[in-house]
Amino acid sequence: MNILVVDDEKEIADLVELYLKNEGYTVYKFYNGTHALACVDKEEIDLAILDIMLPDIDGLTICQKIREHYNFPIIMLTAKETEIDKITGLTIGADDYVTKPFRPLELMARVKAQLRRYTSMPSLQKETVITIGALTIDQTNHQCTLNNQPLSLTPTEFSILYLLCSHKGKVVSVDQIYQDLWGEKYYTNSSSSVMVHIRHLREKMNDSAENPKYIQTIWGVGYKIG
């Protein structure tokens, strides 16, 4: 597995590299965005860890540029405590975020969780192709179409939508979504992550919370489709 690490704080980048290499990953480490983007186009990257604050191109812009062509998971690193930075990152295509200062083992757990979902074997799923109305989601090929038009989804968005579709007609709690996707216990202050991904899904599907065609909000519980 090839992991891209981009952070202008050399000590942090080196520490993350050390932990990743100890887990057996190949690491492409950069202290600026320009060299990182060049690497993305040249190497087969399986996951990126991007710091938001960089000297040349900020991490959010790098995330946007990656999402124009690639679908691998992206974890944002941010030293800012404001929720808006985290929400912005998730909205433009990031799959997860970790706030500095962080515990390296926590970051490793997030990396493993993202890679598990990204490389999960479709054969383990009971149903790999699900059709609900004009929506079709194909777990085997990691493709989704709506009204015969492809939907460009991040790995996390795809996983949430597939989870909801595989529980057609049943309510999936926010707790369950968080547990299934991130592989850890859900905390109240993490609810924004799920909500932002749901909102982004609705935007891409031309759906709305007020008059949903597909994703329905069950207030105080979770979400359902169908």
Side-chain angles (χ1 to χ4, degrees):
M1 291 287 181
N2 298 329
I3 311 294
L4 176 71
V5 176
V6 190
D7 197 315
D8 65 328
E9 295 184 66
K10 187 176 185 300
E11 293 178 356
I12 293 178
D14 292 350
L15 181 64
V16 172
E17 178 187 34
L18 177 64
Y19 271 83
L20 287 170
K21 285 188 172 181
N22 284 341
E23 294 290 341
Y25 299 117
T26 299
V27 179
Y28 294 91
K29 178 184 64 178
F30 299 96
Y31 306 123
N32 64 70
T34 303
H35 292 155
L37 284 173
C39 174
V40 169
D41 290 333
K42 191 168 81 169
E43 305 293 343
E44 270 194 38
I45 302 299
D46 297 294
L47 181 144
I49 300 172
L50 308 176
D51 185 27
I52 287 184
M53 302 299 292
L54 293 169
D56 53 350
I57 308 172
D58 66 83
L60 296 175
T61 300
I62 296 174
C63 179
Q64 284 180 309
K65 289 184 177 295
I66 288 175
R67 280 290 171 255
E68 290 175 3
H69 303 286
Y70 304 99
N71 211 31
F72 55 75
I74 297 174
I75 299 175
M76 305 298 299
L77 299 180
T78 172
K80 298 181 178 180
E81 294 294 338
T82 56
E83 200 68 14
I84 186 64
D85 294 297
K86 301 168 185 176
I87 291 175
T88 300
L90 294 173
T91 299
I92 64 175
D95 296 281
D96 201 359
Y97 60 82
V98 175
T99 303
K100 295 178 180 179
F102 56 85
R103 294 175 298 168
L105 290 179
E106 176 194 355
L107 179 59
M108 294 305 105
R110 300 292 183 93
V111 166
K112 291 176 182 177
Q114 290 296 331
L115 288 174
R116 272 198 307 270
R117 290 190 300 102
Y118 186 56
T119 60
S120 61
M121 295 299 293
S123 59
L124 298 178
Q125 304 291 342
K126 292 182 179 179
E127 191 176 6
T128 59
V129 180
I130 302 173
T131 299
I132 300 175
L135 174 69
T136 297
I137 187 164
D138 184 345
Q139 173 74 0
T140 303
N141 298 311
H142 212 271
Q143 294 177 344
C144 183
T145 60
L146 181 62
N147 297 316
N148 295 317
Q149 297 298 315
L151 286 178
S152 178
L153 305 177
T154 68
T156 297
E157 291 165 359
F158 185 93
S159 295
I160 291 176
L161 187 57
Y162 184 83
L163 179 63
L164 293 176
C165 289
S166 64
H167 290 77
K168 178 182 176 181
K170 298 178 181 178
V171 180
V172 182
S173 69
V174 176
D175 190 357
Q176 183 179 347
I177 293 173
Y178 200 84
Q179 180 71 39
D180 282 13
L181 267 63
W182 282 274
E184 59 185 40
K185 186 177 179 182
Y186 166 81
Y187 295 99
T188 303
N189 61 3
S190 301
S191 61
S192 61
S193 298
V194 175
M195 286 190 295
V196 169
H197 287 304
I198 291 289
R199 187 182 70 196
H200 213 207
L201 269 171
R202 282 174 168 152
E203 289 173 355
K204 291 183 176 182
M205 298 170 69
N206 291 318
D207 208 359
S208 71
E210 295 76 19
N211 298 293
K213 297 178 182 177
Y214 290 98
I215 302 176
Q216 303 174 48
T217 300
I218 310 301
W219 295 108
V221 183
Y223 304 92
K224 76 171 184 176
I225 286 182

